Amino acid sequence: MSNSFWDNTLDLNWDMDTQASGQTIEKAEAAFHKHFADIERLEYDEPKRRAYSCYKVDDIRARRPFNVPLPVHFEVDVDGNVDFEFDAALELLPESLRSQIRVLTADRIGSLKVRSIYLRMFVEHYQDDLLSRFLMASQIDDKPTVINVAGRLTIKKDPVIDFRRYVREVHGSANGEVYDNGQSQALLGGLYMPKPQERVLNGLNHALSRNKKAKERTDLVSPPVVFWVIPDSDLWGRTALVRETLDNLRVVLKEGLGKLPDIVCVAPCTQDEHRDHLAKRARLLLAGGFSKVVFATYRTSQESFETLLVPGVYGAAMYHWTVPTADRYNVPLGFCSSSTIKLQKMAVFVRQVLTSALYSVGRSSGETMQDRWFKDASVTDYIFLDAYTKA
C-alpha cells in the first residue's frame, strides 16, 4: 500500500507461481485480441496504411515494483476504542491477497512506536483553559492495571484526559467550542482533515483581515515564513488531504497578505539517520506541497506536538494523545487561535525545535522535483522568530 506522499509500501512477497496469483497474462492476451482493431486503428488512421497481422502476447514482465493505493480508515469512539477498516477496493482482490494485506497491516500497526503521554505539559505550555477542564487527577499512586491489547499484555496508561466528556461537551453539544473571548476554537482530528481544516482556514482568513487593517495604522510586517511542525508519527499525513490543505492555505495567505510566504515543514529525524533516507523523506514532503523541509531532532516531550503557525497572525497547536486502550494509535486534539499569548507560546515551541535543526532541503526552482538542494541547517535563518516570542 502506498500513496503519493509517504514511503509506506507493504511488501507482499506474493508467490507468482501459485494459482492464487491470478491469470494476468491470459487476461491481457484476451483483452488485446478483443480490442485489437481499435488498438491498431489508433496507430494508423489512414486505411491504406493499416495492416492487419497476427499478433499475440508472448510474455509480461514487471519493469519495476507496482504499488496499489489501498486506504485504511481509522475510527476512535468516545471511549477511546480504536478500529480500522479497509477501503471497499480490497474486496476486489483475491481472498489470498486480502488476508495477507490484513495481517501485514496489523503487523505494521503493531510495530509503531509506543510513546509516553505529555498532554499535561502541552496544556501547561499553552495555558489552555479549555483542555485543563478535562484533565484527570494523576494516577501515579494507583496500582497499575494490566490489559490485553492485540493479544499481548500491557500496562494500561494514565488517560490524563476525560476523553468521553471532552468529546461530548466540546465537540458534540458545542460543535468545536469557542473560548478565549472568541479568539480560540477547539479542534479534534488531523489539521488536514475536512472539519479542522475548514476551521483553521476560516480563522486564518478573519485574522488576516484584522491584521491587514492593523498594518494600515501601524508598521506591522507580514510574516516571511509559515511553519508546520509535524509530529513524530508514522501515520501522519498519509493522504492527499495534505496537499489540498496546503493549496487552500496558499489561497488564503495570498488573499490576506498579497504575497505567498514559504510554507516550511519541520520534520523529526535522528542524529544517525542516513542522508539518503532523509532525502527520500524530503522528496515526499516536497511533493506533498511544502516549500522547504527542515529536519530536526525532537525531544521526547516534543514528539507528539504539532504546530501550524503564521507568526504573529494565527496558528493551530495539536497534541497527538495516545489512546490508552490501544497505545499505538494517536488522536489529535488541540485548538486554533489568534490569541496573542497562544501565538507567542507557539513561536516559542517552533523556535525550540529549530534550535536542534540538522538539515534543510528545498527546490532550486519550481520546475522539477529532481532539482533539489540538501544542506546543513542554519539556526540563524530563523532568528527572526525571537520577535514573535515576546509581548
Side-chain angles (χ1 to χ4, degrees), residues 114-315:
V114 178
R115 305 192 186 283
S116 301
I117 299 180
Y118 289 92
L119 179 56
R120 297 184 195 278
M121 182 181 293
F122 177 87
V123 175
E124 292 171 4
H125 176 76
Y126 288 109
Q127 301 175 14
D128 193 78
D129 294 334
L130 186 143
L131 281 171
S132 64
R133 284 173 19 209
F134 301 94
L135 292 182
M136 301 171 66
S138 176
Q139 298 180 5
I140 295 177
D141 297 329
D142 292 349
K143 184 178 179 180
T145 302
V146 178
I147 59 175
N148 188 306
V149 179
R152 58 186 178 82
L153 296 179
T154 185
I155 296 177
K156 184 177 180 180
K157 296 182 179 296
D158 176 6
V160 181
I161 188 172
D162 188 342
F163 187 65
R164 170 188 280 271
R165 191 164 66 89
Y166 169 75
V167 172
R168 184 178 64 249
E169 296 182 13
V170 176
H171 299 282
S173 56
N175 192 26
E177 185 173 331
V178 176
Y179 58 109
D180 287 343
N181 296 319
Q183 298 179 90
S184 304
Q185 185 173 19
L187 298 175
L188 179 64
L191 290 176
Y192 45 77
M193 297 302 288
K195 184 172 287 187
Q197 179 189 159
E198 180 183 4
R199 289 176 179 169
V200 170
L201 293 174
N202 286 341
L204 175 59
N205 189 41
H206 293 312
L208 286 170
S209 297
R210 294 193 299 269
N211 188 67
K212 190 173 183 180
K213 294 177 181 178
K215 283 175 63 178
E216 296 173 354
R217 303 189 301 269
T218 65
D219 57 352
L220 282 174
V221 178
S222 298
V225 176
V226 173
F227 296 96
W228 195 336
V229 182
I230 67 175
D232 188 3
S233 170
D234 287 342
L235 296 180
W236 186 91
R238 295 189 175 191
T239 167
L241 290 173
V242 173
R243 173 174 282 281
E244 176 188 302
T245 303
L246 291 171
D247 289 343
N248 292 336
L249 183 59
R250 286 188 169 92
V251 171
V252 175
L253 290 170
K254 176 67 175 178
E255 182 178 341
L257 298 176
K259 61 180 181 179
L260 278 179
D262 285 342
I263 302 178
V264 176
C265 174
V266 183
C269 72
T270 59
Q271 289 278 1
D272 58 351
E273 193 165 351
H274 199 281
R275 285 178 65 121
D276 288 345
H277 186 251
L278 290 173
K280 186 175 184 178
R281 289 176 56 200
R283 174 177 59 81
L284 296 168
L285 287 164
L286 292 171
F290 288 102
S291 309
K292 185 163 66 172
V293 179
V294 176
F295 288 109
T297 55
Y298 288 12
R299 302 173 190 169
T300 303
S301 59
Q302 297 171 337
E303 292 175 340
S304 297
F305 283 43
E306 179 179 9
T307 300
L308 173 60
L309 176 64
V310 183
V313 179
Y314 201 75

Side-chain angles (χ1 to χ4, degrees), residues 312-325:
V313 179
Y314 201 75
M318 307 294 289
Y319 182 82
H320 289 247
W321 174 68
T322 300
V323 179
T325 57

Side-chain angles (χ1 to χ4, degrees), residues 339-372:
S339 162
T340 300
I341 294 177
K342 281 185 164 60
L343 290 175
Q344 290 169 358
K345 297 290 186 180
M346 289 184 211
V348 168
F349 170 74
V350 175
R351 190 75 176 92
Q352 287 175 345
V353 174
L354 288 172
T355 57
S356 59
L358 298 180
Y359 306 105
S360 293
V361 189
R363 285 191 289 266
S364 299
S365 67
E367 299 299 324
T368 65
M369 285 299 300
Q370 287 70 34
D371 190 14
R372 298 188 304 274

Side-chain angles (χ1 to χ4, degrees), residues 10-15 97 100-101 104:
L10 297 179
D11 188 1
L12 294 174
N13 291 322
W14 204 18
D15 185 359
L97 183 55
Q100 286 194 55
I101 290 177
L104 286 168

Side-chain angles (χ1 to χ4, degrees), residues 351 354-355 357 360 376-386:
R351 190 75 176 92
L354 288 172
T355 57
S360 293
D376 292 340
S378 174
V379 178
T380 57
D381 289 346
Y382 306 105
I383 199 170
F384 69 87
L385 268 174
D386 290 344

